[in-house]
Amino acid sequence: MKKIIGGMAYDTDTAECLTRSDHDHEMSQAWWSLYRTRQGAFFEVAADHDGVVDTFRPLSKEEARSYLERHANHLVERFFGPVPEAGPKRFSRRTVFAAIQVLNRLTHAEFSRFLFELGPDWPKMISPEPLSLAKRLNELMGAYDQNPDRLVEDGESLDDVLVEKAISLLPVKRRRLWLGEDEELRKDHSDFLHRLEIDGFVIADGKLQTALPRSIALPEAQDELSGLLLKHRFTVAQGHLDQAFSSHTNGNWAAANAQIRTFLEGLLDEIAERLVPSAAALDTANQRRTRLAALGFLSRDLNEWNDNGQGYVNGLMKRLHPHGSHPGLSDADDCTFRLHTVLLAARLFLVRFDKWRSA
């Protein structure tokens, strides 16, 4: 069977059939196959339940890889080479969106060229001019949200490519930056750099470098935390966390520190009140945490809470608020440390709360 599509020939007689599947049912003659031409192009052929071919279409490399992942997973590496072992995400959703926002430095033509570099399907997914560049960037954010684990044509992850592109658009001096340098930056640039810092990255000599071990999985922690806050409608806690991120991004360390502590305090208070409604009548946050420990939510065996003030949560609160009722002065390193610590701790308690509520 041979068809001419877009001025190119696709012939099942000369192409290699990579995989063929069917329903394996006597009532259906449906089948579907993936072919590769002698020139290396992929195409799909499929028949309906009557055995009549109703699909004959070229596939991009990304589509062909996805096809094999679904129907012949053992062949993926044979035709697309070794794939990296799964690990924690490098960047949170917020960081990827901040990277996309930096792309507003591009002209329409440059942005369109970048879409072509991602793969042949991308220009079809994002509207062309005369739609404003801001709206086209919003469409790119939407496309990312639909499949955050998407790979681009050469096999790189989409979020890696977006972040690398944003780094390439930074002013030359700031590609070897440290955030303490005195230099005016556009807000989209500073937002992006602060988001990278929150994810545990710095930029040196134009290259991204990790400031934290990837095994910490901080970007995944942030994304899971945001999802659980939304799922369980911890809207007040989410508001404090958003303000902490905003203050950190703007370099307002004292304000960020105050919101970081308020976020964790409020989250634990609301968890106590959700699990033990009578906890709302208790006078202090310390009493509510003691109630969580009595319930077993905060583990005494793991030293998460101790009535003598020497447990993990006791110490964490003291570390977050070392200057009494005032958040105190701070610097970027100290504020970022507090934010990292609270993100990981809050994720632990929210995942636990989620399990308790679904048990």
Side-chain angles (χ1 to χ4, degrees):
M1 184 184 306
K2 180 178 179 180
K3 282 199 174 184
I4 309 298
I5 303 174
M8 304 295 291
Y10 298 87
D11 190 343
T12 59
D13 291 335
T14 59
E16 177 184 8
C17 181
L18 305 187
T19 180
R20 180 185 174 100
S21 306
D22 58 48
H23 289 303
D24 192 24
H25 193 283
E26 60 182 10
M27 298 296 292
S28 175
Q29 299 180 54
W31 54 266
W32 48 97
S33 298
L34 178 67
Y35 288 86
R36 186 176 66 168
T37 69
R38 289 174 293 185
Q39 302 301 319
F42 298 93
F43 64 100
E44 176 189 13
V45 182
D48 61 18
H49 291 291
D50 295 328
V52 178
V53 172
D54 63 352
T55 300
F56 197 118
R57 68 185 185 100
L59 299 182
S60 67
K61 287 184 178 180
E62 182 180 352
E63 290 174 322
R65 184 192 299 111
S66 177
Y67 187 103
L68 288 178
E69 287 180 0
R70 295 194 309 271
H71 300 297
N73 198 269
H74 62 288
L75 296 177
V76 173
E77 291 190 310
R78 175 181 168 188
F79 293 102
F80 292 97
V83 298
E85 184 177 0
K89 286 178 65 66
R90 298 178 74 201
F91 308 109
S92 68
R93 177 176 178 269
R94 291 172 182 258
T95 300
V96 175
F97 278 15
I100 293 174
Q101 192 59 41
V102 172
L103 302 187
N104 63 20
R105 285 182 61 93
L106 299 173
T107 65
H108 273 291
E110 290 169 336
F111 180 63
S112 295
R113 188 181 309 119
F114 174 63
L115 293 177
F116 278 110
E117 292 171 358
L118 295 181
D121 297 325
W122 283 92
K124 305 172 187 175
M125 297 166 56
I126 308 299
S127 299
E129 294 184 77
L131 196 68
S132 71
L133 184 57
K135 291 182 178 180
R136 297 179 77 193
L137 293 176
N138 286 342
E139 290 187 0
L140 180 56
M141 291 179 185
Y144 172 81
D145 259 350
Q146 290 175 14
N147 186 0
D149 298 320
R150 187 193 302 270
L151 301 177
V152 298
E153 190 175 33
D154 61 2
E156 284 190 86
S157 66
L158 176 60
D159 49 4
D160 281 354
V161 173
L162 291 170
V163 168
E164 289 168 3
K165 184 64 175 180
I167 290 173
S168 74
L169 296 174
L170 293 173
V172 174
K173 291 183 179 179
R174 298 297 288 192
R175 293 181 200 170
R176 48 183 178 76
L177 60 86
W178 183 252
L179 293 181
E181 292 180 3
D182 293 327
E183 183 180 350
E184 288 295 325
L185 277 179
R186 288 170 35 143
K187 187 177 186 304
D188 56 330
H189 287 161
S190 61
D191 288 353
F192 173 55
L193 294 171
H194 280 288
R195 286 303 323 170
L196 284 175
E197 187 182 15
I198 291 172
D199 280 359
F201 291 94
V202 294
I203 300 174
D205 297 325
K207 297 180 180 179
L208 201 64
Q209 296 186 1
T210 57
L212 293 172
R214 288 194 65 190
S215 58
I216 292 179
L218 194 61
E220 289 185 343
Q222 294 179 61
D223 289 345
E224 185 174 16
L225 177 61
S226 295
L228 289 171
L229 288 171
L230 178 63
K231 175 182 177 180
H232 294 290
R233 299 182 181 179
F234 287 110
T235 53
V236 174
Q238 180 68 69
H240 287 301
L241 183 60
D242 289 342
Q243 291 182 51
F245 279 130
S246 178
S247 295
H248 184 283
T249 296
N250 294 325
N252 298 325
W253 313 126
N257 290 341
Q259 291 297 331
I260 291 167
R261 179 181 171 93
T262 302
F263 160 68
L264 187 59
E265 284 183 328
L267 178 63
L268 289 174
D269 283 349
E270 193 161 359
I271 286 176
E273 294 168 13
R274 297 274 187 96
L275 296 179
V276 187
S278 60
L282 296 175
D283 294 331
T284 66
N286 194 71
Q287 291 175 335
R288 285 185 282 275
R289 290 169 206 142
T290 300
R291 183 64 60 87
L292 284 176
L295 187 65
F297 184 84
L298 292 179
S299 173
R300 295 185 188 276
D301 292 339
L302 296 176
N303 294 316
E304 289 180 347
W305 184 258
N306 193 305
D307 294 331
N308 64 13
Q310 296 181 1
Y312 168 71
V313 175
N314 310 86
L316 177 58
M317 290 301 180
K318 292 176 182 177
R319 175 60 179 85
L320 295 176
H321 213 237
H323 301 292
S325 60
H326 303 285
L329 298 177
S330 180
D331 58 20
D333 289 343
D334 178 64
C335 184
T336 302
F337 169 77
R338 298 185 196 208
L339 185 55
H340 286 170
T341 302
V342 166
L343 287 173
L344 294 173
R347 178 203 196 186
L348 171 70
F349 297 135
L350 269 173
V351 168
R352 185 179 299 169
F353 175 80
D354 187 59
K355 292 179 179 177
W356 277 48
R357 296 290 284 204
S358 60

